[in-house]
Amino acid sequence: MSKTDRIRAVLVGNRVIVFDEQRAYKLYEEGFYGKYVGISKPKMSEDEKRRPVELSLLEALYLLEKGRIEVVDINGNPVKYDKLLDIARANYDMFDEVYEVYKDLRSKGYVVRPGLKFGTTFAVYRYGPGIDHAPFLVHVMPFEAKLDPIEIIRAGRLSHSVRKRFIIAVVHPKTRRIHYYMFKWFKA
Amino acid sequence: MRNKIAKAYLEEGRVVIKDDKWINELHYNKHYGRLDGNELVLHPVEALYLMHIGKLEVYEGEKKLSFEELTRRFSKTDSKLWMRFLVYCDLRRRGLIAVPLKGRNVSFLLYGRGANVEYNATKYLVYAVCEGVRVDFKELARIAEEARRSKKEVVLAVMDRQGEIAYYSMSTISL
């Protein structure tokens, strides 16, 4: 891919926006990257898709790393990967772990979206929001953290009530391998 | 049975049953204890559970020991005895057959519902955790690995501060 094919994203404060509506559309359509500014539902009319798209810092870094986008600051100067990573680390707790899990899931072909409304780090789709209705929920936790047994119950309860698989992801500090744990109510 | 209550003896810290009829009933029919020569040795929590449901009396020589006395004695060498007992009790009460495991953790092997103990292996590894006591991921990874090696599923018995227990299965998955 030549450099001119890269979609231009602008770093505004610590948020990343693709203003070019056509290219924003393309990015969203190809992998559900970003969120249309001002729209908050998974099913949108074609008209509603003619808007700028905001990328999360995870998405921006991932797409930058893949050479799919370029990031510039408000003066038009390029923002390098390391600089963007610094910003992400400063603005998102446990960013490295969260990013590793994000990359792992994306590299396996999943569509990885924020899971905030379910109470988790990620909502993960096989095809995409609005297409498959049963995403699974992935919550990233630090390996050094200790799991409060109450969280096991919460995890089990949550997955039961929203009928989605709830998975806790931890990144092993030495091997950097990602462990995925699933908790389900057990009918004893 | 003629005598409704089995008799066991506390000998060198072990609860043993010597009567063949009761060994037959408790071990072969109800799957308690392990055989040692001609005797059936009950695990402390098995003995306490059987006492608790009124199926067992434990004697030390001529003296009949109370449930409290026995609980106190066993707790001297096992600080988690009561927690072990509660989980065991809960599993048995649900009609499940659990085998207490040794070690500082409160854990059991558990047969699947309706399993034939003679022919089937245990299906689950039950690991108890208690409200207010966090578990680290290293420990969870260890349990998961242990279960994987022995081809068992992990069940976490989550106990609240009053001894109420809820069960959750834990599986490691590759996405």
Side-chain angles (χ1 to χ4, degrees):
Chain A
M1 197 181 292
S2 78
K3 205 168 176 186
T4 51
D5 282 336
R6 294 182 185 189
I7 293 171
R8 170 175 288 230
V10 185
L11 180 66
V12 181
N14 52 34
R15 327 281 299 195
V16 182
I17 325 286
V18 178
F19 287 100
D20 182 322
E21 293 170 8
Q22 273 181 5
R23 309 201 79 182
Y25 176 80
K26 210 171 151 191
L27 207 51
Y28 186 83
E29 291 296 303
E30 76 183 30
F32 298 94
Y33 292 103
K35 176 188 174 300
Y36 288 101
V37 175
I39 307 274
S40 58
K41 52 186 177 184
K43 279 183 179 161
M44 286 162 278
S45 65
E46 286 302 300
D47 201 39
E48 287 173 314
K49 291 179 178 173
R50 303 291 167 220
R51 285 168 193 257
V53 153
E54 174 165 351
L55 298 174
S56 68
L57 287 165
L58 288 167
E59 293 169 317
L61 271 168
Y62 183 71
L63 292 167
L64 185 61
E65 201 174 340
K66 295 196 80 159
R68 191 72 190 90
I69 62 167
E70 57 172 352
V71 180
V72 297
D73 65 16
I74 46 174
N75 300 314
N77 301 316
V79 177
K80 292 222 170 67
Y81 179 84
D82 288 351
K83 165 81 173 149
L84 197 60
L85 184 61
D86 284 344
I87 292 171
R89 283 174 173 162
N91 286 285
Y92 201 100
D93 193 30
M94 240 182 25
F95 185 83
D96 289 38
E97 282 89 346
V98 171
Y99 187 46
E100 276 180 70
V101 174
Y102 179 83
K103 279 203 285 192
D104 186 57
L105 293 168
R106 274 287 184 188
S107 72
K108 286 170 177 160
Y110 292 105
V111 173
V112 188
R113 306 279 306 170
L116 191 77
K117 64 182 167 205
F118 301 110
T120 55
T121 319
F122 298 121
V124 181
Y125 300 82
R126 183 159 294 280
Y127 303 107
I131 304 171
D132 46 333
H133 293 287
F136 49 94
L137 307 176
V138 174
H139 194 61
V140 182
M141 291 187 71
F143 187 83
E144 322 75 57
K146 290 181 161 192
L147 191 63
D148 188 324
I150 285 178
E151 289 175 65
I152 297 167
I153 307 269
R154 198 183 295 149
R157 286 273 166 189
L158 179 65
S159 69
H160 199 69
S161 65
V162 297
R163 299 187 190 196
K164 289 165 178 60
R165 288 192 289 162
F166 180 100
I167 292 150
I168 288 178
V170 283
V171 182
H172 196 284
K174 282 199 200 113
T175 62
R176 301 317 286 178
R177 249 194 67 209
I178 301 167
H179 297 231
Y180 293 100
Y181 294 101
M182 184 164 68
F183 297 96
K184 274 200 299 203
W185 182 59
F186 178 76
K187 194 169 178 291
Chain B
M1 265 185 145
R2 194 161 40 84
N3 299 317
K4 285 262 162 57
I5 300 175
K7 228 177 184 187
Y9 298 90
L10 184 65
E11 294 177 354
E12 293 160 14
R14 307 188 316 165
V15 180
V16 296
I17 290 178
K18 299 164 191 255
D19 184 332
D20 281 346
K21 187 183 67 187
W22 279 109
I23 290 175
N24 198 47
E25 165 69 5
L26 292 177
H27 185 66
Y28 293 102
N29 291 346
K30 301 279 171 60
H31 316 295
Y32 289 97
R34 60 177 178 81
L35 294 172
D36 183 16
N38 298 325
E39 296 175 339
L40 179 67
V41 182
L42 295 178
H43 186 280
V45 297
E46 293 175 318
L48 286 174
Y49 175 70
L50 287 168
M51 277 179 96
H52 180 65
I53 60 171
K55 286 266 160 69
L56 185 77
E57 288 175 346
V58 178
Y59 291 83
E60 188 174 45
E62 297 292 303
K63 190 185 157 215
K64 191 169 139 187
L65 300 173
S66 69
F67 180 78
E68 180 185 337
E69 175 66 27
L70 212 57
T71 302
R72 284 167 178 249
R73 295 247 195 136
F74 288 139
S75 295
K76 281 178 187 163
T77 48
D78 179 7
S79 63
K80 291 187 178 156
L81 176 91
W82 188 251
M83 188 175 169
R84 256 183 249 284
F85 166 69
L86 289 178
V87 177
Y88 184 79
C89 210
D90 192 72
L91 291 168
R92 274 284 180 182
R93 211 172 40 78
R94 293 167 188 266
L96 293 166
I97 298 164
V99 183
L101 289 173
K102 288 203 173 82
R104 63 185 173 83
N105 302 314
V106 178
S107 53
F108 303 85
L109 291 174
L110 184 68
Y111 288 93
R113 188 168 290 283
N116 185 324
V117 172
E118 243 177 296
Y119 303 110
N120 300 129
T122 52
K123 193 171 174 194
Y124 306 103
L125 175 64
V126 177
Y127 184 89
V129 296
C130 211
E131 180 186 348
V133 183
R134 289 173 179 262
V135 212
D136 62 20
F137 281 106
K138 219 188 286 174
E139 179 72 355
L140 288 183
R142 194 193 59 71
I143 299 162
E145 177 57 21
E146 187 185 323
R148 192 193 60 79
R149 271 204 309 265
S150 54
K151 296 190 169 67
K152 312 227 183 283
E153 295 169 36
V154 179
V155 172
L156 297 174
V158 186
M159 187 184 290
D160 80 2
R161 55 183 176 266
Q162 288 182 320
E164 190 73 35
I165 302 162
Y167 297 89
Y168 283 86
S169 71
M170 177 182 88
S171 39
T172 46
I173 54 171
S174 40
L175 293 168

